[in-house]
Amino acid sequence: MPGEHVERRNGGYYVTGTRVSLDSLVYAFREGESPEAIRQNFPSLTLEQVYGAIAYYLGHQADVDANIREGEEELDRTVPPLSQSRPELYARLQKALEQLAKP
C-alpha cells in the first residue's frame, strides 16, 4: 500500500502528485547517489519528497524491486534489440566501439 510520498498508478510507483517514477529514484539510490544529489537531478521534487520516496522504498523493497523487475522484463519482451530494429545503426556503433578499444 503506497504511503504519503508514493502512489501507485498505471502499474508502477510514482512520487505522489508528480510524473517522477519511484524506479528513477531507486536506480539513483542504488548507484549510491545521496538524496541531495537525487534532488538536484529531479528539480521538480522537494528534498522531503526524495527522502519520503527512499524511505518508502526501504520499507517496501521486495515489492518495489519485484515491480521494477517486471517492468524490465516487459521491456525485454516488447522492445526488440537495436541489432534487430536498426541493424545499420547497430553496425556503426559496434565499429565505433572497436575503434575505441584499439590502443
Side-chain angles (χ1 to χ4, degrees):
M1 184 68 135
E4 176 183 353
H5 294 288
V6 174
E7 62 186 5
R8 182 138 188 172
R9 64 176 191 265
N10 301 326
Y13 293 91
Y14 294 85
V15 177
T16 301
T18 74
R19 293 172 25 181
V20 178
S21 71
L22 181 60
D23 299 11
S24 302
L25 302 185
V26 168
Y27 285 124
F29 181 71
R30 285 180 183 166
E31 290 293 317
E33 289 189 33
S34 70
E36 291 78 10
I38 294 170
R39 161 61 180 88
Q40 288 179 346
N41 292 328
F42 296 91
S44 65
L45 300 180
T46 65
L47 194 54
E48 178 185 354
Q49 287 173 306
V50 173
Y51 271 101
I54 291 170
Y56 179 84
Y57 170 64
L58 293 173
H60 302 86
Q61 194 167 353
D63 292 337
V64 175
D65 285 347
N67 185 264
I68 290 171
R69 272 192 309 280
E70 288 171 13
E72 289 170 345
E73 290 168 359
E74 178 68 19
L75 277 176
D76 288 344
R77 283 192 304 274
T78 60
V79 178
L82 190 60
S83 61
Q84 291 177 4
S85 64
R86 303 271 314 272
E88 69 292 338
L89 176 60
Y90 180 78
R92 289 196 325 251
L93 289 172
Q94 287 298 109
K95 186 175 181 177
L97 284 173
E98 290 168 9
Q99 294 295 323
L100 288 172
K102 290 182 182 178

XYZ file of all heavy atoms in Angstrom:
820
model
N 0.847 -1.180 0.000
C 0.000 0.000 0.000
C 0.887 1.234 0.000
O 1.655 1.433 0.912
C -0.895 -0.034 1.236
C -1.879 1.088 1.288
S -3.097 0.883 -0.001
C -4.575 1.214 0.812
N 0.810 2.052 -1.032
C 1.612 3.268 -1.091
C 1.351 4.195 0.093
O 0.314 4.136 0.737
C 1.195 3.897 -2.405
C 0.756 2.738 -3.234
C 0.086 1.807 -2.249
N 2.315 5.046 0.363
C 2.240 5.945 1.510
C 2.058 7.386 1.100
O 1.621 7.696 -0.008
N 2.441 8.264 2.000
C 2.246 9.699 1.799
C 3.043 10.237 0.608
O 2.565 11.098 -0.111
C 2.670 10.425 3.074
C 2.604 11.929 2.984
C 3.095 12.603 4.245
O 3.373 11.914 5.245
O 3.193 13.835 4.218
N 4.235 9.717 0.382
C 5.108 10.260 -0.659
C 5.135 9.437 -1.939
O 5.750 9.835 -2.916
C 6.526 10.427 -0.120
C 6.621 11.461 0.957
N 6.525 12.805 0.714
C 6.748 11.338 2.293
C 6.619 13.470 1.847
N 6.746 12.596 2.824
N 4.464 8.278 -1.931
C 4.473 7.399 -3.097
C 3.056 6.941 -3.371
O 2.311 6.619 -2.456
C 5.397 6.175 -2.848
C 5.297 5.186 -3.990
C 6.832 6.618 -2.639
N 2.706 6.937 -4.667
C 1.398 6.418 -5.071
C 1.589 5.403 -6.183
O 2.585 5.438 -6.896
C 0.466 7.553 -5.513
C 0.947 8.332 -6.714
C 0.079 9.543 -7.026
O -0.848 9.841 -6.255
O 0.340 10.191 -8.046
N 0.634 4.527 -6.300
C 0.681 3.505 -7.344
C -0.331 3.875 -8.421
O -1.496 4.136 -8.119
C 0.347 2.146 -6.743
C 0.442 1.061 -7.768
C 1.088 -0.145 -7.238
N 1.268 -1.021 -8.391
C 1.920 -2.117 -8.373
N 2.484 -2.501 -7.277
N 2.033 -2.846 -9.452
N 0.129 3.918 -9.660
C -0.775 4.161 -10.789
C -0.137 3.623 -12.074
O 1.066 3.518 -12.168
C -1.132 5.641 -10.906
C 0.001 6.557 -11.221
C -0.508 8.015 -11.402
N 0.526 8.829 -11.944
C 1.360 9.585 -11.238
N 1.248 9.650 -9.936
N 2.288 10.285 -11.839
N -0.979 3.273 -13.011
C -0.530 2.751 -14.307
C 0.458 1.599 -14.154
O 1.391 1.471 -14.936
C 0.101 3.871 -15.149
C -0.847 5.007 -15.414
O -2.046 4.801 -15.569
N -0.332 6.219 -15.440
N 0.271 0.787 -13.132
C 1.129 -0.373 -12.939
C 2.478 -0.085 -12.319
O 3.313 -0.973 -12.224
N 2.717 1.154 -11.917
C 4.016 1.496 -11.336
C 3.863 2.363 -10.109
O 2.751 2.732 -9.709
N 4.990 2.686 -9.517
C 5.022 3.557 -8.352
C 5.556 4.921 -8.767
O 6.517 5.004 -9.534
C 5.950 2.978 -7.276
C 5.476 1.695 -6.663
C 5.849 0.464 -7.188
C 4.662 1.704 -5.537
C 5.427 -0.726 -6.617
C 4.233 0.521 -4.954
C 4.622 -0.688 -5.501
O 4.204 -1.858 -4.928
N 4.944 5.979 -8.244
C 5.331 7.344 -8.577
C 5.392 8.184 -7.318
O 4.668 7.925 -6.352
C 4.318 7.981 -9.545
C 4.319 7.313 -10.891
C 3.559 6.167 -11.116
C 5.102 7.793 -11.920
C 3.580 5.526 -12.343
C 5.127 7.159 -13.156
C 4.363 6.036 -13.352
O 4.394 5.385 -14.563
N 6.238 9.213 -7.352
C 6.237 10.182 -6.270
C 4.879 10.872 -6.333
O 4.449 11.330 -7.400
C 7.396 11.185 -6.413
C 7.336 12.234 -5.317
C 8.741 10.455 -6.389
N 4.187 10.916 -5.216
C 2.819 11.421 -5.151
C 2.680 12.797 -5.808
O 3.460 13.696 -5.534
C 2.342 11.488 -3.688
O 2.422 10.172 -3.132
C 0.920 11.998 -3.584
N 1.712 12.897 -6.711
C 1.403 14.163 -7.361
C 2.377 14.593 -8.436
O 2.318 15.722 -8.914
N 3.281 13.669 -8.845
C 4.262 14.016 -9.877
C 4.251 12.949 -10.972
O 3.574 11.933 -10.857
C 5.691 14.092 -9.299
O 6.170 12.762 -9.037
C 5.749 14.944 -8.038
N 5.043 13.209 -11.989
C 5.236 12.221 -13.045
C 6.561 11.486 -12.865
O 6.980 10.743 -13.752
C 5.177 12.911 -14.401
C 3.788 13.446 -14.673
C 3.615 14.303 -15.886
N 4.555 14.126 -16.959
C 4.544 14.823 -18.069
N 3.649 15.752 -18.247
N 5.441 14.618 -19.005
N 7.221 11.680 -11.735
C 8.514 11.050 -11.469
C 8.277 9.645 -10.927
O 7.624 9.472 -9.894
C 9.351 11.881 -10.473
C 10.670 11.193 -10.162
C 9.585 13.296 -11.010
N 8.828 8.656 -11.619
C 8.655 7.275 -11.167
C 9.590 6.983 -9.997
O 10.704 7.508 -9.922
C 8.940 6.294 -12.303
O 10.324 6.258 -12.600
N 9.108 6.142 -9.109
C 9.942 5.700 -7.997
C 11.148 4.944 -8.538
O 12.237 5.032 -7.979
C 9.127 4.841 -7.026
C 9.857 4.316 -5.794
C 10.394 5.465 -4.945
C 8.939 3.430 -4.970
N 10.963 4.232 -9.636
C 12.067 3.494 -10.259
C 13.263 4.414 -10.505
O 14.404 4.035 -10.254
C 11.653 2.899 -11.612
C 10.518 1.917 -11.531
O 9.876 1.808 -10.471
O 10.252 1.257 -12.544
N 12.993 5.606 -11.010
C 14.069 6.553 -11.310
C 14.881 6.877 -10.073
O 16.115 6.927 -10.117
C 13.498 7.858 -11.875
O 12.753 7.622 -13.027
N 14.200 7.096 -8.961
C 14.886 7.411 -7.721
C 15.624 6.192 -7.188
O 16.743 6.308 -6.677
C 13.899 7.930 -6.675
C 13.078 9.164 -7.051
C 12.238 9.614 -5.862
C 13.937 10.282 -7.555
N 15.012 5.031 -7.317
C 15.621 3.802 -6.818
C 16.918 3.502 -7.568
O 17.935 3.162 -6.951
C 14.640 2.613 -6.909
C 15.342 1.284 -6.674
C 13.501 2.795 -5.913
N 16.921 3.649 -8.902
C 18.142 3.405 -9.664
C 19.260 4.322 -9.177
O 20.397 3.888 -8.977
C 17.917 3.616 -11.165
C 17.145 2.510 -11.839
C 15.978 2.786 -12.542
C 17.570 1.192 -11.790
C 15.259 1.777 -13.170
C 16.866 0.177 -12.419
C 15.716 0.482 -13.110
O 15.013 -0.530 -13.736
N 18.959 5.590 -8.966
C 19.967 6.549 -8.492
C 20.429 6.184 -7.083
O 21.630 6.211 -6.783
C 19.402 7.965 -8.520
N 19.496 5.819 -6.225
C 19.818 5.443 -4.847
C 20.716 4.210 -4.823
O 21.700 4.147 -4.084
C 18.521 5.202 -4.071
C 18.724 4.831 -2.630
C 19.175 5.768 -1.710
C 18.441 3.547 -2.193
C 19.358 5.422 -0.380
C 18.618 3.197 -0.863
C 19.076 4.140 0.041
N 20.402 3.231 -5.658
C 21.214 2.009 -5.743
C 22.632 2.299 -6.225
O 23.569 1.577 -5.897
C 20.578 0.998 -6.694
C 19.373 0.289 -6.163
C 18.881 -0.650 -7.230
N 17.674 -1.359 -6.890
C 16.939 -2.017 -7.773
N 17.293 -2.050 -9.047
N 15.844 -2.636 -7.392
N 22.764 3.335 -7.052
C 24.086 3.724 -7.562
C 24.886 4.512 -6.528
O 26.008 4.914 -6.787
C 23.939 4.552 -8.840
C 23.451 3.764 -10.034
C 24.461 2.741 -10.514
O 25.659 3.066 -10.583
O 24.052 1.593 -10.807
N 24.285 4.747 -5.369
C 24.990 5.423 -4.292
C 24.806 6.923 -4.233
O 25.485 7.607 -3.470
N 23.884 7.450 -5.046
C 23.638 8.890 -5.005
C 22.937 9.261 -3.701
O 22.066 8.538 -3.223
C 22.782 9.334 -6.193
C 23.525 9.290 -7.508
C 22.741 9.937 -8.632
O 21.994 10.901 -8.381
O 22.880 9.461 -9.764
N 23.314 10.388 -3.165
C 22.677 10.882 -1.939
C 21.306 11.459 -2.277
O 21.051 11.826 -3.437
C 23.541 11.971 -1.306
O 23.520 13.139 -2.112
N 20.427 11.558 -1.296
C 19.135 12.194 -1.553
C 19.298 13.617 -2.107
O 18.535 14.037 -2.975
C 18.457 12.201 -0.181
C 19.037 10.999 0.503
C 20.477 10.973 0.059
N 20.315 14.330 -1.644
C 20.545 15.691 -2.144
C 20.929 15.686 -3.623
O 20.460 16.521 -4.401
C 21.630 16.383 -1.302
C 21.201 16.708 0.115
C 21.209 15.514 1.075
O 21.727 14.432 0.739
O 20.664 15.670 2.189
N 21.767 14.730 -4.019
C 22.145 14.615 -5.429
C 20.949 14.198 -6.275
O 20.754 14.707 -7.388
C 23.293 13.619 -5.596
N 20.154 13.274 -5.761
C 18.949 12.855 -6.479
C 18.026 14.047 -6.656
O 17.476 14.265 -7.736
C 18.241 11.702 -5.737
C 19.133 10.442 -5.741
C 16.878 11.400 -6.355
C 18.654 9.330 -4.839
N 17.867 14.841 -5.625
C 17.019 16.042 -5.683
C 17.501 16.992 -6.777
O 16.712 17.576 -7.514
C 17.014 16.720 -4.296
C 16.587 18.162 -4.224
C 15.168 18.386 -4.691
N 14.809 19.767 -4.612
C 15.001 20.688 -5.555
N 15.603 20.385 -6.659
N 14.581 21.919 -5.407
N 18.812 17.140 -6.918
C 19.350 18.015 -7.971
C 19.004 17.499 -9.361
O 18.787 18.280 -10.280
C 20.865 18.154 -7.831
C 21.280 18.997 -6.655
C 22.780 19.097 -6.510
O 23.535 18.344 -7.130
N 23.224 20.034 -5.687
N 18.940 16.181 -9.505
C 18.605 15.582 -10.800
C 17.112 15.619 -11.104
O 16.708 15.405 -12.251
C 19.113 14.143 -10.860
C 20.614 14.077 -10.883
O 21.288 14.945 -11.420
N 21.162 13.040 -10.271
N 16.311 15.848 -10.089
C 14.855 15.924 -10.244
C 14.368 17.218 -9.597
O 13.785 17.201 -8.512
C 14.171 14.702 -9.614
C 14.514 13.412 -10.285
C 15.583 12.645 -9.849
C 13.780 12.965 -11.373
C 15.915 11.447 -10.472
C 14.100 11.775 -12.012
C 15.176 11.018 -11.559
N 14.597 18.352 -10.259
C 14.291 19.649 -9.644
C 12.816 19.883 -9.337
O 12.491 20.773 -8.548
C 14.815 20.666 -10.657
C 14.995 19.921 -11.927
C 15.185 18.484 -11.583
N 11.933 19.082 -9.902
C 10.511 19.250 -9.592
C 10.158 18.668 -8.221
O 9.057 18.904 -7.721
C 9.644 18.601 -10.669
O 9.830 17.198 -10.675
N 11.082 17.912 -7.624
C 10.833 17.300 -6.321
C 11.453 18.128 -5.204
O 12.462 18.799 -5.401
C 11.439 15.890 -6.273
C 10.931 14.881 -7.281
C 11.635 13.543 -7.083
C 9.426 14.713 -7.190
N 10.862 18.025 -4.031
C 11.453 18.620 -2.844
C 12.344 17.560 -2.192
O 12.203 16.353 -2.462
C 10.384 19.053 -1.826
O 9.709 17.881 -1.348
C 9.383 20.027 -2.451
N 13.227 18.002 -1.334
C 14.072 17.058 -0.619
C 13.222 16.145 0.259
O 13.512 14.949 0.391
C 15.112 17.817 0.211
C 16.272 17.009 0.756
C 16.998 16.247 -0.344
C 17.246 17.928 1.490
N 12.152 16.675 0.808
C 11.235 15.858 1.614
C 10.639 14.728 0.775
O 10.531 13.590 1.235
C 10.124 16.717 2.195
C 9.115 15.917 3.000
C 7.937 16.749 3.495
O 7.933 17.980 3.323
O 7.009 16.136 4.046
N 10.254 15.035 -0.467
C 9.683 14.003 -1.331
C 10.715 12.913 -1.637
O 10.383 11.731 -1.665
C 9.180 14.620 -2.637
C 7.918 15.428 -2.482
C 7.568 16.151 -3.766
O 8.380 16.883 -4.331
N 6.334 15.931 -4.235
N 11.955 13.324 -1.882
C 13.009 12.344 -2.179
C 13.244 11.443 -0.975
O 13.255 10.219 -1.099
C 14.320 13.047 -2.605
C 15.456 12.033 -2.749
C 14.121 13.819 -3.899
N 13.403 12.049 0.206
C 13.601 11.245 1.409
C 12.389 10.344 1.674
O 12.541 9.184 2.051
C 13.863 12.131 2.630
C 15.322 12.460 2.846
C 15.843 13.690 2.463
C 16.176 11.539 3.443
C 17.181 13.996 2.673
C 17.512 11.835 3.667
C 18.009 13.064 3.280
O 19.333 13.361 3.489
N 11.192 10.878 1.478
C 9.980 10.083 1.692
C 9.896 8.908 0.737
O 9.521 7.797 1.130
N 10.264 9.135 -0.519
C 10.229 8.060 -1.509
C 11.269 6.989 -1.186
O 10.999 5.790 -1.293
C 10.451 8.629 -2.911
N 12.463 7.425 -0.771
C 13.504 6.457 -0.402
C 13.074 5.669 0.829
O 13.261 4.451 0.899
C 14.855 7.169 -0.186
C 15.384 7.688 -1.524
C 15.868 6.219 0.463
C 16.586 8.613 -1.409
N 12.489 6.350 1.802
C 12.003 5.658 2.999
C 10.937 4.630 2.622
O 10.924 3.504 3.147
C 11.450 6.664 4.010
N 10.042 5.011 1.706
C 9.026 4.065 1.244
C 9.697 2.852 0.602
O 9.338 1.709 0.878
C 8.062 4.729 0.253
C 7.025 3.750 -0.233
C 5.879 3.517 0.504
C 7.227 3.019 -1.396
C 4.941 2.583 0.091
C 6.303 2.080 -1.818
C 5.167 1.867 -1.068
O 4.249 0.920 -1.484
N 10.669 3.119 -0.268
C 11.372 2.027 -0.936
C 12.011 1.086 0.083
O 11.871 -0.136 -0.013
C 12.435 2.571 -1.891
C 13.361 1.512 -2.422
C 12.880 0.487 -3.235
C 14.718 1.507 -2.100
C 13.720 -0.507 -3.714
C 15.561 0.517 -2.574
C 15.055 -0.483 -3.378
O 15.896 -1.472 -3.849
N 12.706 1.648 1.062
C 13.381 0.815 2.058
C 12.392 -0.011 2.868
O 12.699 -1.130 3.273
C 14.249 1.681 2.969
C 15.451 2.332 2.279
C 16.150 3.300 3.222
C 16.416 1.284 1.743
N 11.207 0.525 3.095
C 10.191 -0.203 3.838
C 9.424 -1.220 3.021
O 8.753 -2.091 3.572
N 9.505 -1.110 1.697
C 8.747 -1.996 0.796
C 9.641 -2.502 -0.334
O 9.207 -2.655 -1.474
C 7.548 -1.244 0.208
C 6.618 -0.709 1.240
N 6.799 0.512 1.836
C 5.520 -1.249 1.807
C 5.838 0.708 2.714
N 5.057 -0.344 2.735
N 10.889 -2.741 -0.007
C 11.889 -3.047 -1.017
C 11.537 -4.260 -1.872
O 11.680 -4.208 -3.098
C 13.242 -3.256 -0.335
C 14.402 -3.247 -1.288
C 15.730 -3.130 -0.570
O 15.783 -2.934 0.640
N 16.800 -3.263 -1.313
N 11.054 -5.313 -1.278
C 10.737 -6.525 -2.050
C 9.658 -6.247 -3.090
O 9.785 -6.660 -4.253
C 10.309 -7.648 -1.116
N 8.595 -5.535 -2.699
C 7.505 -5.228 -3.635
C 7.969 -4.307 -4.759
O 7.648 -4.520 -5.927
C 6.336 -4.571 -2.903
C 5.625 -5.519 -1.954
O 5.711 -6.752 -2.157
O 4.985 -5.028 -1.009
N 8.715 -3.272 -4.393
C 9.181 -2.308 -5.406
C 10.173 -2.979 -6.348
O 10.092 -2.806 -7.572
C 9.781 -1.053 -4.740
C 10.383 -0.117 -5.784
C 8.719 -0.318 -3.920
N 11.112 -3.755 -5.803
C 12.079 -4.450 -6.657
C 11.380 -5.420 -7.607
O 11.761 -5.534 -8.775
C 13.111 -5.195 -5.811
C 14.136 -4.268 -5.167
O 14.212 -3.079 -5.546
O 14.867 -4.741 -4.268
N 10.356 -6.104 -7.122
C 9.602 -7.020 -7.989
C 8.921 -6.244 -9.110
O 8.920 -6.681 -10.264
C 8.570 -7.799 -7.174
N 8.360 -5.083 -8.793
C 7.710 -4.250 -9.800
C 8.718 -3.764 -10.832
O 8.431 -3.750 -12.039
C 7.008 -3.066 -9.127
C 6.229 -2.234 -10.107
O 6.730 -1.230 -10.597
N 5.005 -2.640 -10.392
N 9.905 -3.383 -10.387
C 10.954 -2.937 -11.310
C 11.357 -4.087 -12.225
O 11.482 -3.910 -13.443
C 12.162 -2.380 -10.533
C 11.792 -1.036 -9.872
C 13.373 -2.209 -11.447
C 12.837 -0.502 -8.918
N 11.567 -5.276 -11.647
C 11.934 -6.443 -12.462
C 10.865 -6.751 -13.508
O 11.178 -7.042 -14.666
C 12.152 -7.672 -11.572
C 13.553 -7.827 -11.053
C 13.786 -9.195 -10.419
N 12.788 -9.568 -9.429
C 12.767 -9.153 -8.167
N 13.686 -8.342 -7.730
N 11.822 -9.549 -7.337
N 9.594 -6.680 -13.103
C 8.505 -6.939 -14.056
C 8.541 -5.936 -15.204
O 8.344 -6.306 -16.361
C 7.158 -6.862 -13.339
C 6.884 -8.018 -12.416
C 5.650 -7.800 -11.551
O 4.861 -6.867 -11.819
O 5.485 -8.560 -10.577
N 8.782 -4.682 -14.896
C 8.870 -3.655 -15.939
C 10.036 -3.893 -16.875
O 9.907 -3.739 -18.096
N 11.182 -4.285 -16.318
C 12.356 -4.573 -17.152
C 12.098 -5.784 -18.043
O 12.473 -5.785 -19.218
C 13.580 -4.804 -16.267
C 14.077 -3.538 -15.593
C 15.133 -3.789 -14.535
O 15.310 -4.967 -14.098
O 15.786 -2.811 -14.116
N 11.449 -6.803 -17.489
C 11.131 -7.992 -18.277
C 10.152 -7.664 -19.401
O 10.273 -8.183 -20.516
C 10.577 -9.098 -17.375
C 11.624 -9.688 -16.450
C 11.044 -10.562 -15.350
O 9.797 -10.716 -15.276
O 11.846 -11.099 -14.562
N 9.182 -6.809 -19.106
C 8.221 -6.387 -20.131
C 8.937 -5.657 -21.267
O 8.655 -5.886 -22.439
C 7.142 -5.498 -19.505
C 6.133 -4.965 -20.485
C 5.218 -6.031 -21.078
O 5.098 -7.132 -20.500
O 4.619 -5.759 -22.135
N 9.880 -4.793 -20.927
C 10.660 -4.102 -21.957
C 11.450 -5.093 -22.789
O 11.509 -4.976 -24.019
C 11.621 -3.097 -21.318
C 11.049 -1.744 -20.973
C 12.090 -0.886 -20.268
C 10.539 -1.021 -22.205
N 12.066 -6.063 -22.130
C 12.836 -7.072 -22.864
C 11.958 -7.843 -23.843
O 12.405 -8.192 -24.930
C 13.505 -8.055 -21.893
C 14.666 -7.432 -21.132
O 15.160 -6.357 -21.544
O 15.068 -8.016 -20.106
N 10.699 -8.104 -23.438
C 9.783 -8.858 -24.303
C 9.249 -8.013 -25.448
O 8.977 -8.533 -26.525
C 8.593 -9.383 -23.496
C 8.879 -10.591 -22.648
C 7.602 -11.220 -22.110
N 6.769 -10.302 -21.349
C 6.890 -10.041 -20.047
N 7.832 -10.631 -19.356
N 6.082 -9.207 -19.444
N 9.045 -6.722 -25.233
C 8.339 -5.913 -26.221
C 9.226 -5.017 -27.075
O 8.806 -4.612 -28.150
C 7.282 -5.029 -25.537
O 7.917 -4.169 -24.598
C 6.229 -5.865 -24.848
N 10.422 -4.708 -26.617
C 11.305 -3.829 -27.384
C 12.411 -4.675 -27.996
O 13.215 -5.264 -27.284
C 11.906 -2.724 -26.475
C 12.865 -1.857 -27.271
C 10.808 -1.888 -25.856
N 12.457 -4.732 -29.326
C 13.490 -5.551 -29.961
C 14.870 -4.928 -29.750
O 15.004 -3.710 -29.626
C 13.105 -5.529 -31.445
C 12.287 -4.309 -31.613
C 11.614 -4.061 -30.292
N 15.901 -5.765 -29.701
C 17.248 -5.228 -29.558
C 17.612 -4.350 -30.752
O 17.080 -4.517 -31.856
C 18.141 -6.462 -29.479
C 17.292 -7.634 -29.767
C 15.870 -7.201 -29.787
N 18.521 -3.419 -30.521
C 18.944 -2.492 -31.569
C 19.477 -3.237 -32.787
O 19.269 -2.805 -33.925
C 20.010 -1.540 -31.016
C 20.400 -0.355 -31.876
C 19.186 0.536 -32.148
C 21.503 0.433 -31.214
N 20.115 -4.374 -32.551
C 20.662 -5.144 -33.674
C 19.563 -5.617 -34.622
O 19.813 -5.825 -35.809
C 21.468 -6.337 -33.167
O 20.645 -7.205 -32.414
N 18.335 -5.759 -34.111
C 17.214 -6.176 -34.952
C 16.422 -4.979 -35.482
O 16.019 -4.957 -36.634
C 16.276 -7.086 -34.177
C 16.861 -8.432 -33.859
C 15.908 -9.264 -33.011
O 14.791 -8.863 -32.721
N 16.369 -10.435 -32.599
N 16.199 -3.992 -34.639
C 15.353 -2.876 -35.045
C 16.088 -1.872 -35.931
O 15.473 -1.269 -36.805
C 14.789 -2.151 -33.814
O 15.831 -1.569 -33.055
N 17.374 -1.687 -35.713
C 18.163 -0.734 -36.506
C 19.539 -1.326 -36.780
O 20.545 -0.888 -36.230
C 18.326 0.579 -35.726
C 17.059 1.285 -35.276
C 16.472 2.268 -36.270
N 17.380 3.176 -36.887
C 17.741 4.358 -36.427
N 17.287 4.816 -35.296
N 18.572 5.130 -37.123
N 19.597 -2.353 -37.623
C 20.865 -3.054 -37.841
C 21.990 -2.151 -38.353
O 23.144 -2.325 -37.983
C 20.522 -4.154 -38.843
C 19.187 -3.828 -39.381
C 18.514 -2.909 -38.417
N 21.657 -1.150 -39.185
C 22.699 -0.264 -39.714
C 23.301 0.588 -38.602
O 24.517 0.783 -38.538
C 22.162 0.616 -40.852
C 21.147 1.688 -40.458
C 19.776 1.190 -39.995
O 19.376 0.060 -40.318
O 19.097 1.954 -39.286
N 22.477 1.084 -37.713
C 22.962 1.864 -36.574
C 23.769 0.982 -35.634
O 24.835 1.365 -35.146
C 21.795 2.505 -35.822
C 22.144 3.270 -34.546
C 23.102 4.413 -34.848
C 20.878 3.788 -33.874
N 23.291 -0.206 -35.389
C 23.995 -1.149 -34.521
C 25.396 -1.435 -35.079
O 26.375 -1.441 -34.335
C 23.184 -2.442 -34.386
C 23.834 -3.465 -33.515
C 23.788 -3.349 -32.129
C 24.517 -4.555 -34.063
C 24.391 -4.302 -31.309
C 25.124 -5.502 -33.248
C 25.059 -5.370 -31.885
O 25.665 -6.296 -31.079
N 25.490 -1.661 -36.377
C 26.785 -1.948 -37.001
C 27.737 -0.762 -36.841
O 28.924 -0.942 -36.546
C 26.598 -2.296 -38.479
N 27.234 0.462 -37.034
C 28.073 1.660 -36.865
C 28.552 1.798 -35.426
O 29.707 2.145 -35.178
C 27.319 2.920 -37.298
C 27.122 3.021 -38.794
C 26.737 4.404 -39.284
N 25.892 5.172 -38.402
C 24.608 5.463 -38.602
N 24.011 5.031 -39.696
N 23.924 6.172 -37.752
N 27.670 1.530 -34.468
C 28.066 1.611 -33.066
C 29.102 0.556 -32.723
O 30.067 0.832 -31.993
C 26.840 1.466 -32.155
C 25.870 2.643 -32.151
C 24.613 2.285 -31.374
C 26.529 3.868 -31.538
N 28.925 -0.651 -33.230
C 29.900 -1.710 -32.988
C 31.271 -1.330 -33.543
O 32.290 -1.530 -32.893
C 29.431 -3.034 -33.607
C 28.294 -3.696 -32.865
C 28.690 -4.053 -31.445
O 28.235 -3.440 -30.496
N 29.535 -5.030 -31.293
N 31.268 -0.766 -34.735
C 32.532 -0.349 -35.362
C 33.190 0.755 -34.527
O 34.399 0.735 -34.314
C 32.277 0.133 -36.791
C 33.522 0.449 -37.547
C 33.233 0.796 -38.988
C 34.544 1.085 -39.713
N 34.328 1.367 -41.119
N 32.397 1.701 -34.051
C 32.936 2.778 -33.219
C 33.516 2.223 -31.919
O 34.585 2.659 -31.470
C 31.855 3.812 -32.928
N 32.848 1.254 -31.326
C 33.360 0.630 -30.099
C 34.678 -0.088 -30.355
O 35.601 -0.028 -29.534
C 32.335 -0.344 -29.518
C 31.151 0.289 -28.796
C 30.130 -0.781 -28.434
C 31.622 1.026 -27.559
N 34.771 -0.748 -31.485
C 36.020 -1.428 -31.835
C 37.144 -0.426 -32.003
O 38.270 -0.674 -31.573
C 35.825 -2.245 -33.118
C 34.941 -3.458 -32.950
C 34.528 -4.098 -34.284
O 35.077 -3.700 -35.335
O 33.668 -4.989 -34.256
N 36.856 0.694 -32.637
C 37.863 1.745 -32.814
C 38.315 2.301 -31.467
O 39.507 2.555 -31.272
C 37.329 2.879 -33.698
C 37.066 2.493 -35.130
C 38.334 2.113 -35.852
O 39.384 2.695 -35.642
N 38.246 1.091 -36.698
N 37.393 2.484 -30.560
C 37.745 2.988 -29.226
C 38.577 1.994 -28.435
O 39.412 2.384 -27.618
C 36.475 3.328 -28.432
C 35.720 4.572 -28.875
C 34.396 4.679 -28.127
C 36.566 5.818 -28.643
N 38.354 0.716 -28.673
C 39.071 -0.324 -27.936
C 40.506 -0.515 -28.418
O 41.330 -1.078 -27.707
C 38.302 -1.649 -28.031
N 40.822 -0.024 -29.603
C 42.187 -0.169 -30.142
C 43.134 0.773 -29.387
O 42.791 1.926 -29.154
C 42.221 0.154 -31.639
C 41.527 -0.882 -32.483
C 41.644 -0.535 -33.943
C 40.905 -1.561 -34.790
N 40.963 -1.216 -36.200
N 44.313 0.250 -29.033
C 45.286 1.090 -28.306
C 45.909 2.158 -29.161
O 45.923 2.229 -30.296
C 46.338 0.105 -27.817
C 46.079 -1.189 -28.491
C 44.741 -1.116 -29.160
